[in-house]
Amino acid sequence: MSTESLFAIVVLLGLLGIAVVGDLRNHRIPNMLILLGLGLGLAGQVYSAELTGLGYGVVGMFIGFAVFVPMYALGGMAAGDVKLMAMVGTFLTPHEALSAALLSLVAGGVCGMLIVLVRGQLKQTLQRYWLILTAQAYFAPEADEVAGKPFPYSVAILSGTLVSLFGLPLGL
């Protein structure tokens, strides 16, 4: 791994760490952090590979955005999460961006299931999903059901990105 790549990963993980802290504290990811990250990611790509790097950064950004925007459109995540994943993509190659985005979705599912388990609502949640499958209709979560409440998805984005970079990149 080159010095430039290592530096870019450290910067990316620092930005993700700041996003996680803000998301946990305020349930928001500041737009200024996203803009700073977009600029740093694209600048780093240009520095390391010139025009090709810029292309990688832009395509990576669109991949991160495109993978997450359907979840936003369906009401399953906030706009800040979509923008954060797009920012992550600017630091990565297109292949790495796709891997990080998909693994972040998996991490989000794991986080969601852990929250359901910790809150003791597994039976209630499974019953609602069974009803959805059998009736082929959507049933919104009850007011007291944790499955209907948002959680700081930046944690899943950080987790998926870490696994993609250091643990289990998808062989797409």
Side-chain angles (χ1 to χ4, degrees):
M1 183 177 287
S2 70
T3 305
E4 290 113 5
S5 296
L6 185 60
F7 183 73
I9 289 171
V10 168
V11 170
L12 171 60
L13 295 179
L15 291 166
L16 283 171
I18 293 168
V20 167
V21 169
D23 203 6
L24 288 171
R25 285 185 179 165
N26 307 318
H27 302 286
R28 294 191 52 81
I29 300 169
N31 284 332
M32 288 306 294
L33 179 70
I34 301 295
L35 289 172
L36 175 65
L38 288 170
L40 289 173
L42 293 174
Q45 292 279 25
V46 169
Y47 179 78
S48 67
E50 299 173 350
L51 196 55
T52 301
L54 179 62
Y56 279 172
V58 169
V59 172
M61 177 183 67
F62 283 120
I63 288 171
F65 180 82
V67 170
F68 271 44
V69 80
M71 293 298 294
Y72 169 74
L74 294 171
M77 75 176 42
D81 303 321
V82 177
K83 293 183 281 187
L84 184 64
M85 193 67 237
M87 181 204 78
V88 168
T90 64
F91 284 85
L92 308 172
T93 66
H95 181 265
E96 292 168 336
L98 181 59
S99 178
L102 294 176
L103 287 168
S104 294
L105 290 175
V106 170
V110 170
C111 288
M113 284 305 298
L114 287 173
I115 292 169
V116 167
L117 285 171
V118 167
R119 300 280 172 89
Q121 295 186 355
L122 181 62
K123 183 179 177 184
Q124 180 182 10
T125 302
L126 290 176
Q127 286 174 336
R128 186 170 61 80
Y129 282 115
W130 179 253
L131 196 64
I132 289 170
L133 286 172
T134 56
Q136 296 182 351
Y138 178 72
F139 296 98
E142 299 292 325
D144 65 334
E145 194 174 347
V146 71
K149 305 219 184 318
F151 71 91
Y153 209 88
S154 61
V155 173
I157 294 171
L158 173 60
S159 300
T161 301
L162 283 170
V163 170
S164 175
L165 291 174
F166 300 112
L168 181 72
L170 297 177
L172 300 174

